[in-house]
Each structure stands twice: as structure tokens, then as C-alpha cells.
Amino acid sequence: QVRLVESGGGLVQPGGSLRLSCAASGIAFSLYDMKWYRQAPGKQREWVATITRTQNSNYADSVKGRFTISRDNAKNTLFLQMNSLKPDDTAVYSCKAVRVDPQVSYWGQGTQVTVSS
């Protein structure tokens, strides 16, 4: 049974911070590239950040310098540290595990982040 469970979302004021977690089970976590996506109401899902199995990180321009993706392979957990949050960051944030060989991927259920005064 593969499970990706996000947590840490909530309501924060502009300029605030949140740390999201994605706990994985049922997969060989260290063999997967891990990604964060987000989807705002009425908009398509967009990629936010990636951390590969070799610890290389990439970010969307919209979050670069504000968000930090990390992983703890010993705990099978992915993190997203979000600082200097803006109202435009409001979305459901979902994690994705991607393995290239064999080609397979899994999605978590998502956690709501709301940035508002």
C-alpha cells in the first residue's frame, strides 16, 4: 500500500511561514525524485519544486528564494519550508513521488495553504 500524506498546511498572514511535510510509506523512498505541486481554485496544477534522489533541487521562479525543498530519507519524509508567503501562494499543495526506472509515480492527497489577512 503506497501512501503519501501531506501535513502542515493552514492559515497564515502575508509574510508568514509554514513548513509542509509529506510522509511516504510503501515505496523505496530514497529511489524516488520528490516534487511539490500546488493548485489554486479555478487554476491548473503547477509545479513548485523538485528534489531528486541525488539531492539536487529546482524551484519555480515564483517561489525561488522563498521556498526550500528538502528530504529526510531516514524518515521517508519530504519537506517544503515556505517563507515570505504571499496571497498568490494560496493553494492545495500536493507531493509527488517519481521513479524513472521503472516509470512510476504517486500523488498525495494534498494540504490546504491559505495566505490571507
Side-chain angles (χ1 to χ4, degrees):
Q1 178 184 340
V2 177
R3 294 182 67 205
L4 298 175
V5 181
E6 298 94 337
S7 62
L11 173 64
V12 295
Q13 295 185 17
S17 297
L18 282 175
R19 190 190 193 213
L20 306 183
S21 298
C22 171
S25 59
I27 62 171
F29 182 79
S30 64
L31 300 182
Y32 286 75
D33 292 346
M34 298 298 299
K35 301 175 183 288
W36 286 102
Y37 288 79
R38 66 187 183 186
Q39 187 168 28
K43 296 185 177 180
Q44 292 185 334
R45 184 159 53 193
E46 65 176 347
W47 167 77
V48 174
T50 295
I51 184 166
T52 68
R53 59 179 292 186
T54 57
Q55 301 280 358
N56 293 315
S57 300
N58 300 96
Y59 300 90
D61 288 342
S62 59
V63 307
K64 196 171 298 180
R66 301 187 297 121
F67 291 11
T68 303
I69 190 170
S70 61
R71 64 192 295 164
D72 186 340
N73 286 346
K75 296 182 177 180
N76 289 350
T77 303
L78 172 74
F79 302 99
L80 185 68
Q81 178 66 47
M82 305 186 296
N83 299 326
S84 302
L85 283 162
K86 306 173 181 179
D88 283 350
D89 295 320
T90 296
V92 174
Y93 285 72
S94 301
C95 64
K96 183 182 183 182
V98 180
R99 186 170 179 175
V100 175
D101 186 19
Q103 189 82 284
V104 65
S105 62
Y106 304 96
W107 286 94
Q109 83 289 346
T111 186
Q112 177 71 48
V113 172
T114 303
V115 185
S116 176
S117 299

